[in-house]
Amino acid sequence: MFTRILLAIDDSPSSEVAISFATALAQQSSGAVRVVHVNEYLVGGRGFTVETQSEAIGQLEKAVAALRAAGIPTEGSLYLTSCFGVETRIANAASDWSADVIVLGSRRRRRFGRFGGQGMRERVTSLTALPVLTAPAPLDVAAGRVPDMSELPTEPLADFPSISI
């Protein structure tokens, strides 16, 4: 289905989920992946970026290594741009590589964070005709002990009837 997958990552936990999502998608369709990481110049930062070059390269190499370890043909690209050009750089990278799909991570903004304007997914979608898939956001687990899978009930709840098709 999708044989050329462009995966855009950043420094957030959602990138790890996006890497797993792209890995499964590429394995299912025997596709190749190009990982793109865009490092942004700070506004008024006089040439300084959000991440150092070594941090950005490290994240890109980590993603490429994870995909290659799964047996997926992968290459990576690192770009520099202003904070206003990230979505354009992602859309252009997909076009230049003739990608079939763009995969992004999701941060799952809540409450007032949504009112700040469009998210990256909406901005990329408005610039390209390609499908833009958003990997599910990482789950926020409350502080404390996480239950083991063996502790969860295995019997269906009595209140809900089971449906057979």
Side-chain angles (χ1 to χ4, degrees):
M1 187 169 163
F2 299 123
T3 57
R4 296 174 68 86
I5 302 165
L6 184 103
L7 170 63
I9 62 168
D10 59 7
D11 61 344
S12 70
S14 64
S15 289
E16 294 177 21
V17 177
I19 292 167
S20 297
F21 185 78
T23 300
L25 190 62
Q27 286 175 334
Q28 185 179 26
S29 62
S30 300
V33 177
R34 173 177 252 178
V35 182
V36 172
H37 181 62
V38 181
N39 196 3
E40 305 171 32
Y41 287 110
L42 292 172
V43 176
R46 300 182 186 249
F48 289 101
T49 55
V50 173
E51 300 171 307
T52 64
Q53 185 173 0
S54 61
E55 289 172 341
I57 291 171
Q59 287 189 5
L60 187 64
E61 288 176 344
K62 180 182 169 187
V64 169
L67 286 156
R68 285 183 179 165
I72 299 167
T74 307
E75 58 186 55
S77 297
L78 177 64
Y79 296 104
L80 285 171
T81 189
S82 72
C83 62
F84 305 109
V86 175
E87 60 277 356
T88 304
R89 181 58 73 181
I90 293 169
N92 288 342
S95 176
D96 293 344
W97 193 55
S98 300
D100 297 326
V101 65
I102 299 172
V103 175
L104 303 172
S106 173
R107 291 196 182 169
R108 214 178 267 213
R109 291 186 178 170
R110 297 284 187 224
R111 296 188 183 140
F112 299 110
R114 294 184 203 168
F115 297 118
Q118 291 182 331
M120 182 61 61
R121 178 186 63 227
E122 290 84 7
R123 294 190 312 247
V124 171
T125 303
S126 70
L127 293 172
T128 183
L130 294 173
V132 178
L133 299 179
T134 306
L139 295 175
D140 291 331
V141 179
R145 191 177 70 81
V146 178
D148 186 13
M149 293 302 289
S150 63
E151 297 174 10
L152 297 176
T154 56
E155 299 176 7
L157 297 175
D159 297 342
F160 297 102
S162 60
I163 299 172
S164 301
I165 298 177

